Amino acid sequence: MSKRIDVKNLDIYYSDFLAVKDVSVTIEPRSVTALIGPSGCGKSTFLRSLNRMHEVIPGARVEGEVIIDGENLYGKGIDPVMVRRKVGMVFQKPNPFPTMSIKENVLAGVKLNNKRIGRTDADELVETSLRGANLWNEVKDRLDKPGSSLSGGQQQRLCIARTIAVKPEVVLMDEPCSALDPISTLAVEDLIAELKENYTIVIVTHNMQQAARCSDRTGFFNIEGTGKPGQLVEFNDTQTIFNTPSEKATEDYISGRFG
Amino acid sequence: MSTTTAVDPTKTSSLRSGRRFGDAIFSALSHSAGIVILLVLIGVTFFLFWGAKDALVADGSEVRGGAGLIAYIGPLIFGTLLSSIIALLIAVPLSIGIALFISHYAPRRLASGLGYVVDLLAAVPSIIFGLWGMQIAGSAVPSFEFLNEYLGFIPLFSGTVTTTGRTMLMIGIVLAIMILPIMTAVNREVFLQTPRLHEEASLALGATRWEMIRQTVIPFGKSGVVSGAMLGLGRALGETMAVAIILSASGGGYSWELLSANTPGTIAGDIALNFPESFGVERSTLFVSGLALFVVTFLVNMFARWIISRRSEFSGAN
């Protein structure tokens, strides 16, 4: 179910502004890849280009290739809707649909694209997805309550359940814990460790301890100055990045000398 | 800490201050604004009852129509509601469509241009719509006849088609066009308020644009759409000039036939047409129908609010 992502010479533009320059990287399946770097350096933009979500912003475009499963996401005739079904995304702030119950939230993606699902299958999927997101025991007695009645951490795990319910191959996470308290953060981090058994996970984080704790490989993005494009400075095993980084900028950043 | 909470009232503390002047003024202003609206409402009710009291106590044979208040006002209420409901049935889907086009489909430049046009339309006085409706009523007859011939099995389109075209359906259409801009403007505003985060959540699950709209924009905007529809309905219920110009009410009783000459009038149209030439109990009867319109509008609004509040838990406000 999980797939390798090959990014080749990716440039990302907002209209004429080059936001991220020349990223080439290979993201291994069944692993957690963390992207770290100072604010505004293009980590999120890069992450969103992996499922074509950055296109939501008018004028955004890319040059280069993102290849998943032998297919270029930016190739001719590729439907972004289908891309996003394969590459799911969890956002910075928990965003369950407020007009839906917990159960409806989990099934929200499954019912798209005219797919129908039987009652028993739906119940089963809700349970496996919520169990997969470590949320089942907390919500099993109130599946019909609104998703917004949960705590922030529970909402974020509900969003993860919603994402994995459509059975994607890759799960992108854009600072999934930045709006959560330490306990909820821990719950989500534990969950990430479990999810990597089945999914390729790419996570953007501002929290370097988090990157060190839960990722296998880490990429460091940096920006030379305002108005300059962000670049992937260094990409390596997390151990190597945090212990013996080869770039000065990486070392400065992780040791807290800037950023 | 419980021992330190007692405060000595005689001691002036640095945490105390006099009432702030600006706060006091603003508070007084907003309080009095709130009270004024209540006073207006009470005043209107009182005025209506005052004007209506003669007819309310009079014998049934003395009021307009000579057959009692209910016989006179009943069909008018029916006509008012019928024309407004037709207008809403046409205008609600149309305004949602236009609003969605402006908020989510049109290229940005076209969208802002269209937005202006819609706002301008909202400012067109109703008499213009009335004149326009009267003008085109005649040329609408062939389409009315078409409806009658092929959909005549539906009671609404049965009966004999009038040759003037001044029918209930025509009124409904004119009212629909009249309330369309205000409803579109309201809908567009609420659709644009949909949190970006929800839209993106839906898209990231692999929703198409339409699915994203159905999943996030419409549920989020639902209460706003109902409010917009109520604004439109209020205008349609109370519309005077357009109705008075177009409809030649023939005291048709409770007739469901939208295309025939046999149509009930509407309360507002009836008052406008008959008020200048009536006196005494006759005029008082018109006050009673005005009171009835007041009550109907009230009930409709309360009903709409009840609908909105039923699922407020899921409204997105929390």
Side-chain angles (χ1 to χ4, degrees):
Chain A
M1 226 167 30
S2 60
K3 292 281 156 57
R4 179 192 315 275
I5 310 171
D6 279 306
V7 181
K8 289 180 186 163
N9 304 103
L10 192 72
D11 292 327
I12 308 173
Y13 294 87
Y14 291 115
S15 297
D16 292 330
F17 173 69
L18 179 60
V20 177
K21 192 173 132 191
D22 198 23
V23 176
S24 294
V25 68
T26 298
I27 292 165
E28 296 294 335
R30 289 169 203 270
S31 71
V32 178
T33 301
L35 303 176
I36 58 171
S39 295
C41 67
K43 323 178 282 294
S44 289
T45 299
F46 172 70
L47 187 78
R48 289 164 69 96
S49 73
L50 296 182
N51 71 344
R52 298 187 64 168
M53 273 304 288
H54 72 299
E55 287 173 21
V56 171
I57 296 156
R61 64 194 166 85
V62 306
E63 284 167 14
E65 292 182 339
V66 178
I67 297 168
I68 294 182
D69 202 13
E71 196 141 39
N72 180 11
L73 299 190
Y74 291 92
K76 241 185 166 175
I78 299 288
D79 183 357
V81 169
M82 297 320 289
V83 169
R84 292 172 196 148
R85 295 192 76 81
K86 277 192 179 177
V87 185
M89 187 158 195
V90 176
F91 295 81
Q92 192 170 351
K93 265 169 70 184
N95 55 356
F97 297 120
T99 53
M100 295 183 191
S101 68
I102 292 171
K103 186 176 170 182
E104 288 166 337
N105 259 293
V106 177
L107 294 172
V110 184
K111 286 183 173 165
L112 293 170
N113 306 108
N114 293 323
K115 293 213 178 60
R116 295 193 178 279
I117 180 165
R119 229 190 128 93
T120 44
D121 288 349
D123 288 345
E124 224 166 87
L125 183 64
V126 168
E127 182 170 345
T128 48
S129 304
L130 285 171
R131 278 190 194 283
N134 284 339
L135 191 61
W136 174 252
N137 287 328
E138 290 157 65
V139 301
K140 63 180 180 218
D141 300 323
R142 45 175 175 155
L143 292 174
D144 293 321
K145 289 278 181 304
S148 48
S149 67
L150 299 174
S151 75
Q154 290 172 327
Q155 288 188 19
Q156 192 63 300
R157 279 179 282 149
L158 176 60
C159 293
I160 294 174
R162 178 175 70 183
T163 305
I164 61 179
V166 290
K167 301 193 167 60
E169 285 155 2
V170 179
V171 177
L172 308 176
M173 298 187 175
D174 190 355
E175 298 180 41
C177 301
S178 64
L180 305 183
D181 66 274
I183 308 243
S184 306
T185 300
L186 202 65
V188 172
E189 282 180 14
D190 287 347
L191 177 56
I192 290 171
E194 284 171 33
L195 289 176
K196 100 176 165 179
E197 313 268 305
N198 294 312
Y199 303 95
T200 307
I201 293 173
V202 185
I203 174 173
V204 164
T205 177
H206 269 132
N207 180 337
M208 276 179 284
Q209 284 73 37
Q210 183 169 59
R213 274 195 302 265
C214 61
S215 73
D216 302 306
R217 291 167 77 77
T218 298
F220 172 62
F221 275 80
N222 200 4
I223 186 168
E224 281 169 8
T226 30
K228 298 266 177 53
Q231 277 173 298
L232 181 60
V233 175
E234 190 170 353
F235 186 84
N236 215 326
D237 288 341
T238 300
Q239 290 296 325
T240 315
I241 289 272
F242 279 91
N243 296 325
T244 50
S246 51
E247 296 284 334
K248 180 82 170 63
T250 315
E251 194 184 341
D252 286 351
Y253 183 73
I254 57 177
S255 59
R257 268 192 282 266
F258 83 96
Chain B
M1 295 296 283
S2 62
T3 51
T4 57
T5 50
V7 175
D8 180 5
T10 55
K11 214 172 142 187
T12 43
S13 141
S14 61
L15 294 176
R16 288 159 188 268
S17 75
R19 260 192 104 182
R20 284 175 188 79
F21 192 55
D23 274 0
I25 290 190
F26 189 75
S27 157
L29 273 178
S30 55
H31 270 90
S32 46
I35 290 165
V36 161
I37 192 70
L38 280 178
L39 286 180
V40 167
L41 195 65
I42 292 168
V44 167
T45 319
F46 178 76
F47 153 81
L48 281 172
F49 268 109
W50 184 258
K53 69 178 186 337
D54 289 344
L56 283 174
V57 297
D59 188 71
S61 58
E62 288 174 53
V63 302
R64 273 183 75 86
L69 281 174
I70 300 208
Y72 182 71
I73 294 171
L76 288 177
I77 293 179
F78 173 79
T80 308
L81 286 177
L82 184 61
S83 60
S84 303
I85 287 167
I86 297 170
L88 270 193
L89 285 180
I90 299 172
V92 166
L94 213 51
S95 66
I96 292 176
I98 300 171
L100 282 178
F101 177 71
I102 295 175
S103 66
H104 284 83
Y105 281 94
R108 212 181 304 169
R109 203 175 288 170
L110 178 63
S112 61
L114 262 176
Y116 278 126
V117 171
V118 169
D119 288 348
L120 272 182
L121 269 178
V124 173
S126 60
I127 192 155
I128 309 289
F129 286 103
L131 286 173
W132 170 77
M134 194 173 64
Q135 281 290 314
I136 70 150
S139 41
V141 172
S143 34
F144 289 168
E145 279 168 346
F146 177 86
L147 278 178
N148 180 255
E149 194 172 335
Y150 293 102
L151 294 174
F153 60 89
I154 303 171
L156 290 177
F157 301 128
S158 62
T160 334
V161 178
T162 170
T163 50
T164 61
R166 299 178 175 200
T167 61
M168 208 58 177
L169 185 59
M170 192 71 223
I171 287 287
I173 293 170
V174 169
L175 288 179
I177 294 171
M178 214 172 73
I179 64 180
L180 199 53
I182 184 78
M183 287 169 61
T184 305
V186 171
N187 291 351
R188 183 193 61 200
E189 282 309 313
V190 295
F191 291 158
L192 285 173
Q193 300 295 320
T194 314
R196 175 136 215 145
L197 217 53
H198 296 158
E199 296 185 5
E200 289 191 347
S202 184
L203 289 174
L205 286 172
T208 61
R209 192 170 344 194
W210 158 238
E211 286 170 333
M212 179 271 281
I213 286 172
R214 211 178 46 188
Q215 203 165 53
T216 63
V217 178
I218 291 181
F220 180 84
K222 201 167 55 185
S223 62
V225 170
V226 175
S227 306
M230 285 308 112
L231 264 179
L233 183 62
R235 202 172 164 196
L237 285 173
E239 178 46 37
T240 312
M241 285 326 296
V243 177
I245 288 182
I246 299 171
L247 204 59
S248 46
S250 53
Y254 303 95
S255 166
W256 286 101
E257 294 171 1
L258 302 183
L259 304 174
S260 73
N262 194 21
T263 51
T266 71
I267 294 178
D270 181 66
I271 295 177
L273 288 174
N274 296 318
F275 199 78
E277 297 113 56
S278 54
F279 303 95
V281 177
E282 294 236 316
R283 177 171 271 199
S284 179
T285 314
L286 296 176
F287 272 97
V288 179
S289 59
L291 190 62
L293 181 60
F294 189 69
V295 172
V296 165
T297 320
F298 230 82
L299 290 179
V300 165
N301 261 304
M302 278 164 64
F303 179 67
R305 294 210 174 271
W306 175 72
I307 288 184
I308 298 174
S309 69
R310 255 189 332 167
R311 268 173 70 90
S312 58
E313 209 187 353
F314 285 87
S315 70
N318 40 14

